[in-house]
Short mmCIF file of all heavy atoms in Angstrom, two decimals:
data_model
loop_
_atom_site.label_atom_id
_atom_site.label_comp_id
_atom_site.label_asym_id
_atom_site.label_seq_id
_atom_site.Cartn_x
_atom_site.Cartn_y
_atom_site.Cartn_z
N TRP L 1316 1.15 -22.75 -20.28
CA TRP L 1316 1.98 -23.37 -21.31
C TRP L 1316 3.44 -22.95 -21.26
O TRP L 1316 4.33 -23.77 -21.44
CB TRP L 1316 1.39 -23.06 -22.69
CG TRP L 1316 0.37 -24.06 -23.08
CD1 TRP L 1316 -0.73 -24.44 -22.34
CD2 TRP L 1316 0.35 -24.86 -24.26
NE1 TRP L 1316 -1.42 -25.42 -23.01
CE2 TRP L 1316 -0.80 -25.70 -24.18
CE3 TRP L 1316 1.18 -24.95 -25.37
CZ2 TRP L 1316 -1.13 -26.60 -25.19
CZ3 TRP L 1316 0.85 -25.86 -26.37
CH2 TRP L 1316 -0.29 -26.68 -26.27
N LEU L 1317 3.64 -21.64 -21.05
CA LEU L 1317 5.02 -21.13 -21.12
C LEU L 1317 5.56 -20.69 -19.75
O LEU L 1317 6.77 -20.62 -19.57
CB LEU L 1317 5.11 -19.94 -22.09
CG LEU L 1317 4.80 -20.24 -23.55
CD1 LEU L 1317 4.92 -18.97 -24.40
CD2 LEU L 1317 5.75 -21.30 -24.10
N GLY L 1318 4.67 -20.38 -18.82
CA GLY L 1318 5.13 -19.85 -17.53
C GLY L 1318 5.32 -20.91 -16.47
O GLY L 1318 5.90 -20.65 -15.42
N GLY L 1319 4.79 -22.11 -16.73
CA GLY L 1319 4.93 -23.17 -15.73
C GLY L 1319 3.94 -23.06 -14.59
O GLY L 1319 4.09 -23.72 -13.56
N VAL L 1320 2.92 -22.24 -14.75
CA VAL L 1320 1.88 -22.13 -13.71
C VAL L 1320 0.89 -23.27 -13.91
O VAL L 1320 0.42 -23.50 -15.02
CB VAL L 1320 1.15 -20.78 -13.81
CG1 VAL L 1320 0.09 -20.65 -12.72
CG2 VAL L 1320 2.12 -19.61 -13.73
N THR L 1321 0.58 -23.99 -12.85
CA THR L 1321 -0.36 -25.10 -12.99
C THR L 1321 -1.80 -24.61 -12.76
O THR L 1321 -2.00 -23.55 -12.12
CB THR L 1321 -0.05 -26.20 -11.95
OG1 THR L 1321 -0.28 -25.66 -10.64
CG2 THR L 1321 1.39 -26.68 -12.07
N PRO L 1322 -2.78 -25.36 -13.23
CA PRO L 1322 -4.18 -24.97 -12.96
C PRO L 1322 -4.46 -24.85 -11.47
O PRO L 1322 -5.21 -23.96 -11.05
CB PRO L 1322 -4.98 -26.11 -13.60
CG PRO L 1322 -4.09 -26.65 -14.66
CD PRO L 1322 -2.70 -26.52 -14.15
N ARG L 1323 -3.87 -25.70 -10.66
CA ARG L 1323 -4.09 -25.64 -9.22
C ARG L 1323 -3.55 -24.32 -8.66
O ARG L 1323 -4.20 -23.70 -7.81
CB ARG L 1323 -3.37 -26.82 -8.55
CG ARG L 1323 -3.55 -26.89 -7.05
CD ARG L 1323 -4.90 -27.42 -6.68
NE ARG L 1323 -5.05 -27.49 -5.23
CZ ARG L 1323 -6.11 -27.05 -4.57
NH1 ARG L 1323 -7.14 -26.51 -5.23
NH2 ARG L 1323 -6.18 -27.15 -3.26
N MET L 1324 -2.40 -23.90 -9.18
CA MET L 1324 -1.83 -22.61 -8.73
C MET L 1324 -2.79 -21.48 -9.07
O MET L 1324 -2.99 -20.56 -8.27
CB MET L 1324 -0.48 -22.35 -9.41
CG MET L 1324 0.67 -23.18 -8.91
SD MET L 1324 2.13 -22.75 -9.90
CE MET L 1324 3.33 -23.83 -9.16
N HIS L 1325 -3.36 -21.53 -10.26
CA HIS L 1325 -4.29 -20.48 -10.66
C HIS L 1325 -5.50 -20.46 -9.74
O HIS L 1325 -5.98 -19.39 -9.34
CB HIS L 1325 -4.76 -20.68 -12.11
CG HIS L 1325 -3.89 -19.97 -13.11
ND1 HIS L 1325 -3.37 -20.57 -14.22
CD2 HIS L 1325 -3.46 -18.69 -13.17
CE1 HIS L 1325 -2.64 -19.70 -14.91
NE2 HIS L 1325 -2.67 -18.56 -14.30
N GLN L 1326 -5.99 -21.63 -9.39
CA GLN L 1326 -7.16 -21.70 -8.48
C GLN L 1326 -6.81 -21.10 -7.12
O GLN L 1326 -7.59 -20.33 -6.56
CB GLN L 1326 -7.56 -23.17 -8.25
CG GLN L 1326 -8.35 -23.79 -9.37
CD GLN L 1326 -8.58 -25.27 -9.13
OE1 GLN L 1326 -8.10 -25.86 -8.14
NE2 GLN L 1326 -9.30 -25.89 -10.03
N LEU L 1327 -5.63 -21.46 -6.61
CA LEU L 1327 -5.23 -20.96 -5.29
C LEU L 1327 -5.00 -19.45 -5.34
O LEU L 1327 -5.34 -18.74 -4.39
CB LEU L 1327 -3.97 -21.69 -4.82
CG LEU L 1327 -4.19 -23.16 -4.46
CD1 LEU L 1327 -2.86 -23.88 -4.26
CD2 LEU L 1327 -5.06 -23.30 -3.22
N ASN L 1328 -4.43 -18.97 -6.44
CA ASN L 1328 -4.22 -17.52 -6.57
C ASN L 1328 -5.55 -16.79 -6.60
O ASN L 1328 -5.71 -15.73 -5.98
CB ASN L 1328 -3.41 -17.21 -7.83
CG ASN L 1328 -1.96 -17.64 -7.70
OD1 ASN L 1328 -1.47 -17.92 -6.61
ND2 ASN L 1328 -1.26 -17.70 -8.82
#
Side-chain angles (χ1 to χ4, degrees):
Chain L
W1316 273 53
L1317 295 180
V1320 181
T1321 65
R1323 182 77 179 133
M1324 286 178 181
H1325 269 130
Q1326 282 174 357
L1327 290 169
N1328 289 345

